[in-house]
């Protein structure tokens, strides 16, 4: 089954304790992205990757890091989490690597992070 | 700065009625306008999408109407069903250096009463 898998699904942690949210896709997609979803703001892009070892900032990258060492994996790293990073996070992937925008993105089921 | 503005925030419709959600965008470089449907505990899933070279696209009970001059597009759900109760997001994206990035609206929580 084609899917984007995120782990963990839920996490409660404390300020300053480094954490990693993993994302894996089995569709051989070149493009992967992280979004955060906050009430009244919709989803906002944090980071994206167009291929292995190619990553770039989205709209809200502050406080986050990513890496893309393998095509299937795109972990999101919070080096020193703060309460304002409490949110619902989604990983997404997209087929192809052309400059055409209108290809559907496939989303994982989300990770709810609470930073106390 | 919200480049895609969505309304209403919430919508209650009776079974069999028509649900209408509206979006307006600012960036004329956008060339792809998808709608996503999200159920509780799940990620957004593509529902229907349109490009600006057409004014309307219909898939089953779901229709997108697109007005390029007004920079507005809307989702119409005909014969709304309780199973349509979900959060709906409009979005926009463009190719080139911004390839793949989706700019989302704020979301609309749709409740369809039986």
């Amino acid at each position: 089954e084609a899917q984007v898998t995120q782990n963990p699904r839920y996490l409660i942690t404390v300020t300053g304790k480094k954490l990693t949210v993993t994302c894996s896709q089995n569709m051989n997609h070149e493009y992967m992205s992280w979004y955060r979803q906050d009430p009244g703001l919709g989803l906002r892009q944090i980071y994206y990757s167009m291929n292995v070892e190619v990553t770039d900032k989205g709209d809200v990258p502050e406080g986050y890091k990513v890496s893309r060492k393998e095509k299937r994996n795109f972990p999101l790293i919070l080096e020193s989490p703060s309460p304002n990073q409490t949110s619902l996070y989604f990983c997404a992937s997209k087929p192809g690597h052309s400059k055409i925008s209108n290809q559907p993105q496939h989303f994982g089921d989300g990770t709810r992070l609470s930073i106390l | 700065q919200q480049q895609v503005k969505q309304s209403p925030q919430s919508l209650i419709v009776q079974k069999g009625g028509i649900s209408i959600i509206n979006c307006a965008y600012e960036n004329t470089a956008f060339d792809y306008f998808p709608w996503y449907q999200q159920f509780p505990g799940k990620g957004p899933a593509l529902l229907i999408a349109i490009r600006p070279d057409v004014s309307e696209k219909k898939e089953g009970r779901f229709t997108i109407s697109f007005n390029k001059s007004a920079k507005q597009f809307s989702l119409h759900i005909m014969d709304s069903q309780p199973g349509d109760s979900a959060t709906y997001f409009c979005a926009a994206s463009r190719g080139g250096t911004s390839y793949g990035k989706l700019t989302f609206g704020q979301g609309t929580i749709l409740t369809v009463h039986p």
Side-chain angles (χ1 to χ4, degrees):
Chain A
E1 180 189 352
Q3 59 186 1
V4 178
T5 302
Q6 297 178 224
N7 280 294
R9 293 292 312 279
Y10 305 91
L11 179 63
I12 301 174
T13 188
V14 295
T15 300
K17 186 177 181 181
K18 180 180 179 180
L19 67 91
T20 299
V21 184
T22 63
C23 174
S24 180
Q25 51 94 4
N26 62 0
M27 295 168 279
N28 201 37
H29 290 167
E30 283 83 3
Y31 182 93
M32 297 185 74
S33 180
W34 278 101
Y35 294 85
R36 59 178 288 173
Q37 181 179 349
D38 300 290
L41 296 176
L43 288 86
R44 293 175 292 166
Q45 190 183 57
I46 303 170
Y47 267 95
Y48 67 96
S49 169
M50 294 185 68
N51 214 325
V52 176
E53 301 292 359
V54 180
T55 63
D56 207 347
K57 297 177 181 179
D59 291 327
V60 288
E62 294 77 20
Y64 305 95
K65 285 176 58 177
V66 294
S67 69
R68 187 90 182 272
K69 294 183 171 57
E70 305 165 282
K71 196 173 186 179
R72 63 182 295 125
N73 296 322
F74 189 45
L76 179 69
I77 303 157
L78 285 70
E79 293 268 1
S80 182
S82 63
N84 65 11
Q85 293 177 298
T86 293
S87 187
L88 180 58
Y89 291 85
F90 288 98
C91 179
S93 72
K94 178 183 169 86
H97 53 78
S98 71
K99 296 301 186 182
I100 298 172
S101 63
N102 56 341
Q103 296 175 28
Q105 292 199 25
H106 301 258
F107 284 80
D109 284 338
T111 295
R112 186 167 292 281
L113 287 183
S114 295
I115 316 292
L116 305 178
Chain B
Q1 179 189 2
Q2 193 75 32
Q3 291 195 51
V4 178
K5 295 183 179 179
Q6 183 173 346
S7 63
Q9 278 189 299
S10 61
L11 181 62
I12 299 175
V13 175
Q14 291 297 123
K15 180 182 176 182
I18 302 173
S19 304
I20 302 174
I21 304 171
N22 301 299
C23 284
Y25 64 96
E26 298 172 3
N27 190 341
T28 55
F30 288 141
D31 61 2
Y32 175 62
F33 301 88
W35 284 89
Y36 281 82
Q37 180 187 54
Q38 182 184 31
F39 293 106
K42 295 294 185 180
L46 180 66
L47 184 63
I48 186 173
I50 197 168
R51 287 180 58 85
D53 51 353
V54 298
S55 60
E56 185 175 284
K57 183 174 181 180
K58 184 176 181 179
E59 291 184 0
R61 296 184 294 110
F62 301 91
T63 300
I64 300 178
S65 297
F66 188 85
N67 186 330
K68 188 174 181 178
S69 61
K71 294 188 286 185
Q72 294 175 347
F73 59 110
S74 60
L75 175 69
H76 295 237
I77 306 174
M78 309 300 288
D79 187 26
S80 299
Q81 299 296 312
D84 297 330
S85 297
T87 300
Y88 292 81
F89 292 97
C90 63
S93 71
R94 61 186 178 103
T97 56
S98 294
Y99 159 88
K101 175 186 171 183
L102 287 168
T103 299
F104 284 88
Q106 297 92 326
T108 296
I109 301 172
L110 173 65
T111 303
V112 181
H113 286 315

